[in-house]
Amino acid sequence: ETGVTQTPRHLVMGMTNKKSLKCEQHLGHNAMYWYKQSAKKPLELMFVYSLEERVENNSVPSRFSPECPNSSHLFLHLHTLQPEDSALYLCASSPKPGQSNTGELFFGEGSRLTVL
Amino acid sequence: DAKTTQPTSMDCAEGRAANLPCNHSTISGNEYVYWYRQIHSQGPQYIIHGLKNNETNEMASLIITEDRKSSTLILPHATLRDTAVYYCIVRGGFSSGSARQLTFGSGTQLTVLP
């Protein structure tokens, strides 16, 4: 248990569906991240939120829409996805600088998404 | 951030030490070396990090060469549960208020054999 919980763990959706992935951390961290891991590819950073403000958006298509309502919750809203968007979506969080400057990221178990 | 080079795969016998190398010849003075691992279909897990000195914790040891251009992660007594992809990442220090993006490469697939 890393303290970062992702739901659902598995999701199958059609290209016209709208769904959301949820991430929750109970570690008191102030930064949260979405990574995408496609089959046989390295992890790709998608979005970064620091203090609930988006600080990075790595040219992710607009069919992926993140939301960070508070420092403990992060969502990834999905709509009109393509089959090539099928992947493992990983959420991570990191501590406040005063708590730790080691650069550790704490990852959730991931949400396995299949787009039909 | 400096680029790293790791072997694609390695095998290790159960109970023996696993030594995973990483080259980071373009590392700069303020960049740390981090190691993470990812067991199949799970999220990556932090293992250890270091700047100049060798480091040890309950999971592993990190040996960094004097010129800092390479490092080795050592799992002293590998078990079957250590089978995973191991990522070596080089990253600068984190200033106050900054998020901690890490860029993952392809890593080394370590297979521990019974």
Side-chain angles (χ1 to χ4, degrees), chain A residues 23 33 40 44 51 53 61 69 96 98:
Chain A
C23 178
Y33 311 75
K40 301 190 187 302
E44 303 169 55
L51 296 171
E53 192 174 323
K96 299 181 179 71

mmCIF file of all heavy atoms in Angstrom, chain A residues 23 33 40 44 51 53 61 69 96 98:
data_model
loop_
_atom_site.group_PDB
_atom_site.id
_atom_site.type_symbol
_atom_site.label_atom_id
_atom_site.label_comp_id
_atom_site.label_asym_id
_atom_site.label_seq_id
_atom_site.Cartn_x
_atom_site.Cartn_y
_atom_site.Cartn_z
ATOM 1 N N CYS A 23 -8.201 9.353 -8.609
ATOM 2 C CA CYS A 23 -7.012 9.095 -7.799
ATOM 3 C C CYS A 23 -7.150 9.845 -6.480
ATOM 4 O O CYS A 23 -7.571 11.010 -6.467
ATOM 5 C CB CYS A 23 -5.758 9.558 -8.533
ATOM 6 S SG CYS A 23 -4.226 9.348 -7.610
ATOM 7 N N TYR A 33 0.163 13.665 -10.154
ATOM 8 C CA TYR A 33 0.602 13.441 -11.533
ATOM 9 C C TYR A 33 -0.259 12.366 -12.200
ATOM 10 O O TYR A 33 -0.693 11.418 -11.538
ATOM 11 C CB TYR A 33 2.051 12.916 -11.553
ATOM 12 C CG TYR A 33 3.028 13.691 -10.714
ATOM 13 C CD1 TYR A 33 3.030 13.574 -9.328
ATOM 14 C CD2 TYR A 33 3.969 14.534 -11.300
ATOM 15 C CE1 TYR A 33 3.930 14.279 -8.544
ATOM 16 C CE2 TYR A 33 4.877 15.231 -10.527
ATOM 17 C CZ TYR A 33 4.845 15.106 -9.156
ATOM 18 O OH TYR A 33 5.740 15.809 -8.392
ATOM 19 N N LYS A 40 4.662 -2.048 -23.844
ATOM 20 C CA LYS A 40 6.048 -2.061 -24.297
ATOM 21 C C LYS A 40 6.622 -0.666 -24.537
ATOM 22 O O LYS A 40 7.529 -0.488 -25.355
ATOM 23 C CB LYS A 40 6.201 -2.909 -25.555
ATOM 24 C CG LYS A 40 5.757 -4.355 -25.359
ATOM 25 C CD LYS A 40 6.135 -5.221 -26.518
ATOM 26 C CE LYS A 40 5.547 -6.625 -26.414
ATOM 27 N NZ LYS A 40 5.945 -7.328 -25.219
ATOM 28 N N GLU A 44 4.864 7.729 -19.796
ATOM 29 C CA GLU A 44 4.814 9.073 -20.362
ATOM 30 C C GLU A 44 4.081 9.980 -19.382
ATOM 31 O O GLU A 44 2.959 9.688 -18.988
ATOM 32 C CB GLU A 44 4.036 9.090 -21.683
ATOM 33 C CG GLU A 44 4.538 8.174 -22.764
ATOM 34 C CD GLU A 44 3.531 8.091 -23.905
ATOM 35 O OE1 GLU A 44 3.170 9.167 -24.448
ATOM 36 O OE2 GLU A 44 3.082 6.991 -24.235
ATOM 37 N N LEU A 51 0.000 22.104 -5.853
ATOM 38 C CA LEU A 51 -0.883 22.975 -5.078
ATOM 39 C C LEU A 51 -2.175 23.243 -5.851
ATOM 40 O O LEU A 51 -2.660 24.367 -5.912
ATOM 41 C CB LEU A 51 -0.173 24.293 -4.733
ATOM 42 C CG LEU A 51 1.046 24.134 -3.825
ATOM 43 C CD1 LEU A 51 1.811 25.447 -3.715
ATOM 44 C CD2 LEU A 51 0.629 23.653 -2.445
ATOM 45 N N GLU A 53 -2.787 23.461 -8.859
ATOM 46 C CA GLU A 53 -2.684 24.221 -10.096
ATOM 47 C C GLU A 53 -1.915 23.395 -11.116
ATOM 48 O O GLU A 53 -0.871 22.832 -10.793
ATOM 49 C CB GLU A 53 -1.939 25.525 -9.813
ATOM 50 C CG GLU A 53 -2.015 26.546 -10.930
ATOM 51 C CD GLU A 53 -1.373 27.850 -10.507
ATOM 52 O OE1 GLU A 53 -1.511 28.238 -9.325
ATOM 53 O OE2 GLU A 53 -0.723 28.476 -11.357
ATOM 54 N N PRO A 61 -3.767 15.096 -25.919
ATOM 55 C CA PRO A 61 -4.986 15.453 -26.671
ATOM 56 C C PRO A 61 -6.109 15.900 -25.741
ATOM 57 O O PRO A 61 -6.213 15.433 -24.596
ATOM 58 C CB PRO A 61 -5.350 14.144 -27.381
ATOM 59 C CG PRO A 61 -4.088 13.360 -27.432
ATOM 60 C CD PRO A 61 -3.304 13.734 -26.219
ATOM 61 N N PRO A 69 -9.583 18.971 -7.803
ATOM 62 C CA PRO A 69 -10.413 19.832 -6.963
ATOM 63 C C PRO A 69 -9.762 20.197 -5.626
ATOM 64 O O PRO A 69 -10.099 21.240 -5.050
ATOM 65 C CB PRO A 69 -11.672 18.982 -6.741
ATOM 66 C CG PRO A 69 -11.222 17.572 -6.928
ATOM 67 C CD PRO A 69 -10.132 17.617 -7.942
ATOM 68 N N LYS A 96 5.375 17.647 0.059
ATOM 69 C CA LYS A 96 5.729 19.058 0.092
ATOM 70 C C LYS A 96 7.248 19.156 0.253
ATOM 71 O O LYS A 96 7.864 18.342 0.907
ATOM 72 C CB LYS A 96 5.073 19.749 1.281
ATOM 73 C CG LYS A 96 3.555 19.718 1.290
ATOM 74 C CD LYS A 96 3.044 20.461 2.512
ATOM 75 C CE LYS A 96 1.520 20.492 2.550
ATOM 76 N NZ LYS A 96 0.943 19.181 2.858
ATOM 77 N N GLY A 98 9.030 20.834 2.195
ATOM 78 C CA GLY A 98 9.472 20.832 3.580
ATOM 79 C C GLY A 98 9.452 19.456 4.215
ATOM 80 O O GLY A 98 10.193 19.172 5.141
#
